[in-house]
Amino acid sequence: MNKSFCVFIISHGRPDKVVTLRTLKRCGYTGLLFIVCDNEDKTIDQYRKNHGAGMVLVFDKPHYASLVDSCDNFQNRRTTTHARNACFDLAKERGFEYFLVLDDDYSGFRYTLNKSGKYVTNIYVSKLDDIFEAFCNFLKSDERIKSVCLCQGGDLIGGGGSAMFSNQNYPFKKRKAMNSFFCKTENRFWFFSRLNEDVNTYLTMGSVGYVFCTIPDVRLDQSATQATAGGMSDAYLASGTYVKSFYSVMLCPSFAKATFQIQLGRIHHKISWNNAVPKILDDTHKKK
């Protein structure tokens, strides 16, 4: 797997705070990894100084911005969209069959379920190599699966009684896909829109039959939105989560809306999954 898989950590303006790098090593990842920056980042030299020139990959941000719809007329390129799209080409150029795209501010990886399917909080992953290989095996099981993701802390508000786990039979998957993305290089898709690009991509592609999903067995721990300087925090602070959420409402008005979520303390998108993605029965249930 180490020869056909790598991890990309996308980062901008935080050369001294690539927390994910340390976290991956602490949790047992031994494979190849790279930090992906754009050519408009003024701190590129510091990234190279801190982490080594061979680990830092730089992509042409204006070029990738010209390839997708930003879904607005704002005159800036503050988005992770273009870095995520560039990772497909960076992986192909280096001969990787699979790759994982991560943000730069993860502080831990934990199991959310034990072997019997019971919710847990205190079991940290120590062999990420095995976890990543299992995710890639799932990804390659069907070409309709575009990407599979790790669970987020926000999915687990309420613990074992959260919406992620309520009324579910283990094992199960969720059709949302955010933040971390396992991808197959030859099964390309394009992220688009300036903000909420992960949501907008899995919703629009999911609505026509492609599969994006979260496997809830493993979660990532991440800094709170807008809490860390650099990265996307400046963009979120400039426009607020109201604007961020309305990209999804604009693109998917039949099943996306913006609501104030008390548990988050801010406006957030809300998806009506009964209207969002097709539900197709297996042929074994066909009447004879």
Side-chain angles (χ1 to χ4, degrees), residues 52-105:
M55 183 179 287
V56 180
L57 306 181
V58 181
F59 70 94
D60 186 340
K61 196 171 189 178
H63 168 69
Y64 280 91
S66 71
L67 301 179
V68 294
D69 187 356
S70 65
C71 300
D72 60 33
N73 57 3
F74 300 157
Q75 300 302 311
N76 69 72
R77 286 187 283 271
R78 291 183 298 183
T79 177
T80 58
T81 302
H82 313 315
R84 298 193 198 280
N85 286 331
C87 286
F88 278 92
D89 294 320
L90 294 174
K92 187 173 183 178
E93 290 168 3
R94 286 156 182 79
F96 295 113
E97 187 177 0
Y98 299 93
F99 62 91
L100 169 61
V101 184
L102 300 176
D103 289 352
D104 63 5
D105 56 351

Side-chain angles (χ1 to χ4, degrees), residues 5-18:
F5 173 84
C6 74
V7 171
F8 292 125
I9 303 172
I10 59 175
S11 187
H12 179 97
R14 296 196 284 224
D16 301 320
K17 296 182 179 179
V18 187

Side-chain angles (χ1 to χ4, degrees), residues 118-171:
K118 182 180 178 181
Y119 178 75
V120 294
T121 61
N122 59 352
I123 304 177
Y124 282 86
V125 175
S126 60
K127 296 182 179 180
L128 269 181
D129 286 351
D130 294 342
I131 299 296
F132 290 174
E133 185 169 8
F135 270 71
C136 288
N137 286 336
F138 176 77
L139 180 63
K140 69 182 180 182
S141 65
D142 194 312
E143 286 297 312
R144 291 170 295 183
I145 303 174
K146 287 293 187 178
S147 187
V148 58
C149 303
L150 299 162
C151 185
Q152 294 178 272
D155 298 323
L156 306 174
I157 296 175
S162 68
M164 172 65 80
F165 295 111
S166 61
N167 301 318
Q168 299 290 341
N169 293 317
Y170 182 77

Side-chain angles (χ1 to χ4, degrees), residues 170-198:
Y170 182 77
F172 62 91
K173 292 89 180 166
K174 285 288 189 177
R175 286 295 293 267
K176 63 167 288 185
M178 299 175 65
N179 203 273
S180 60
F181 294 89
F182 286 87
C183 301
K184 185 175 182 179
T185 307
E186 295 302 322
N187 196 9
R188 182 169 197 152
F189 60 91
W190 290 87
F191 291 93
F192 71 103
S193 81
R194 189 179 314 279
L195 299 178
N196 241 25
E197 80 290 340
D198 45 9

Side-chain angles (χ1 to χ4, degrees), residues 229-261:
M232 284 299 295
S233 295
D234 295 341
Y236 292 146
L237 289 170
S239 61
T241 54
Y242 176 87
V243 172
K244 175 177 179 288
S245 298
F246 253 88
Y247 279 83
S248 299
V249 178
M250 177 177 64
L251 289 161
C252 307
S254 60
F255 50 82
K257 63 181 180 180
T259 64
F260 184 85
Q261 296 195 10

Side-chain angles (χ1 to χ4, degrees), residues 9 11 18 21 33-37 47 51 55-58:
I9 303 172
S11 187
V18 187
L21 192 64
L33 56 87
F34 303 93
I35 300 172
V36 177
C37 301
Y47 275 102
H51 307 289
M55 183 179 287
V56 180
L57 306 181
V58 181

